[in-house]
Amino acid sequence: MEEPHCKFETVLEILVGKWKPIVLFHLFSNGTMRFSELQKAIPDITKKMLTQQLRELEYHDIVHRKIYHQIPPKVEYSITEHGKGMSTVLQAMNDWGMSHLTHLNELYGEERSVESFEGRLDEVTGN
Amino acid sequence: MEEPHCKFETVLEILVGKWKPIVLFHLFSNGTMRFSELQKAIPDITKKMLTQQLRELEYHDIVHRKIYHQIPPKVEYSITEHGKGMSTVLQAMNDWGMSHLTHLNELYGEERSVESFEGRLDEVTGN
DNA sequence: CACTTAGGTATCTTTTTGTATACTAGGTTT
DNA sequence: AAACCTAGTATACAAAAAGATACCTAAGTG
């Protein structure tokens, strides 16, 4: 076999967390967003989770946090230059992910959406 | 709302779980492995977790489970053809992951970033 | 003087994941 | 006959992640 597939865990570590993908999606799509704009765009997220996910992305230098020292506060989030470098990886994951969805539909049936795969997995694993 | 970076969640869904990466790594590296060989290769994993992770990968048609009907039981696991198609994505994740580690080292220094990534990664790579 | 605003924290509870340990089947070896 | 394989289950438990809710700040507004 070719090169060992190993350190993709690093990417996983960045992306791990229930809300990271959708947060990243919005920031990649919209460029720069305020905390409250992200909250609006992701209605079910709590402030705590949004803060947490953003802080973790910030630690990995994927997201930049710009604070305006005003009252009421204003904080803007955006993808860093380093973070933009992730887009090819995300795109590759996205593309393969799409084709995988098609494949799963062929295997298990068309009527199932992404969300319902979870439930079907539970049927199989008995959890 | 066009979607440049969105359904990479599908890949995440396959890879999610504490032991999936190392299981995949061994199967990609070794081709075909028995349940007990995987157990040996990943000493800290419990049977329950190994079974669970393999079943989930099997559901996604990434891993194939071949049962030999004999006593004592023999079951072999391998990457499916569909699963092999994942290797480019894993490779892309891996490559970017490596450069990200370097970047983190530059940002935080060698000790700090090593500390933030778990030893399991090193187990996999043998570093 | 109280109210509003934006971007958070601080606690506590619930849910999800992962771990530990014991048990099973049925043929083979001691 | 008892012990030993392998590839699992079953059950109980601990730890981690996520959710719910209340609270904080400090200037501007009515």
Side-chain angles (χ1 to χ4, degrees):
Chain A
M1 197 129 286
E2 13 164 17
E3 280 295 289
H5 310 83
C6 44
K7 288 205 168 148
F8 59 86
E9 275 189 299
T10 309
V11 173
L12 255 39
E13 199 171 306
I14 295 171
L15 262 27
V16 104
K18 181 168 175 184
W19 302 98
K20 296 259 177 68
I22 194 165
V23 166
L24 282 177
F25 168 71
H26 283 294
L27 287 177
F28 266 108
S29 304
N30 299 355
T32 295
M33 292 178 83
R34 295 183 62 167
F35 186 86
S36 53
E37 291 179 311
L38 279 165
Q39 255 194 116
K40 239 190 217 171
I42 313 168
D44 286 347
I45 201 172
T46 62
K47 292 173 168 195
K48 182 198 168 191
M49 286 313 290
L50 183 52
T51 305
Q52 190 180 301
Q53 308 284 285
L54 285 166
R55 290 293 144 80
E56 288 173 24
L57 290 169
E58 193 190 353
Y59 167 77
H60 279 281
D61 192 29
I62 305 298
V63 156
H64 175 68
R65 178 160 176 260
K66 184 173 182 184
I67 306 158
Y68 295 80
H69 292 284
Q70 326 173 334
I71 300 285
K74 178 179 177 183
V75 179
E76 281 181 350
Y77 291 92
S78 55
I79 305 290
T80 62
E81 279 312 305
H82 177 66
K84 284 174 188 166
M86 239 193 142
S87 71
T88 40
V89 182
L90 294 180
Q91 193 64 58
M93 291 172 70
N94 186 69
D95 292 348
W96 189 87
M98 300 270 277
S99 77
H100 178 63
L101 282 180
T102 306
H103 185 73
L104 280 191
N105 282 339
E106 281 162 12
L107 282 180
Y108 298 114
E110 190 78 30
E111 73 284 351
R112 311 198 179 256
S113 66
V114 194
E115 291 77 44
S116 67
F117 284 137
E118 204 75 49
R120 178 157 255 269
L121 221 185
D122 294 347
E123 284 171 28
V124 174
T125 59
N127 285 337
Chain B
M1 192 189 289
E2 88 264 274
E3 310 181 346
H5 312 278
C6 48
K7 290 246 172 288
F8 58 86
E9 280 189 282
T10 310
V11 172
L12 256 38
E13 199 173 308
I14 295 171
L15 262 27
V16 104
K18 181 168 174 183
W19 302 98
K20 296 259 178 68
I22 194 166
V23 166
L24 282 177
F25 169 71
H26 283 294
L27 288 177
F28 265 107
S29 304
N30 299 353
T32 294
M33 293 178 83
R34 295 184 61 171
F35 186 86
S36 53
E37 290 179 311
L38 279 165
Q39 252 195 118
K40 240 190 220 168
I42 314 167
D44 287 346
I45 200 171
T46 63
K47 293 169 168 199
K48 184 194 167 192
M49 285 312 290
L50 183 52
T51 304
Q52 188 179 301
Q53 309 283 286
L54 285 166
R55 290 293 144 82
E56 288 173 23
L57 290 168
E58 193 191 353
Y59 166 76
H60 278 280
D61 192 30
I62 304 297
V63 157
H64 175 67
R65 178 160 174 258
K66 183 174 183 184
I67 307 159
Y68 294 80
H69 292 283
Q70 49 185 52
I71 301 278
K74 178 178 176 182
V75 179
E76 280 181 350
Y77 292 90
S78 55
I79 303 292
T80 62
E81 280 311 307
H82 177 66
K84 284 174 188 166
M86 238 194 141
S87 73
T88 39
V89 182
L90 294 179
Q91 193 63 59
M93 291 172 70
N94 186 68
D95 292 348
W96 189 87
M98 300 268 278
S99 76
H100 177 64
L101 282 179
T102 306
H103 185 73
L104 280 190
N105 284 341
E106 282 162 12
L107 281 180
Y108 299 114
E110 196 90 21
E111 333 75 39
R112 182 81 200 277
S113 74
V114 162
E115 155 190 320
S116 73
F117 290 99
E118 287 188 301
R120 197 151 47 83
L121 225 180
D122 299 338
E123 265 180 59
V124 174
T125 58
N127 289 340

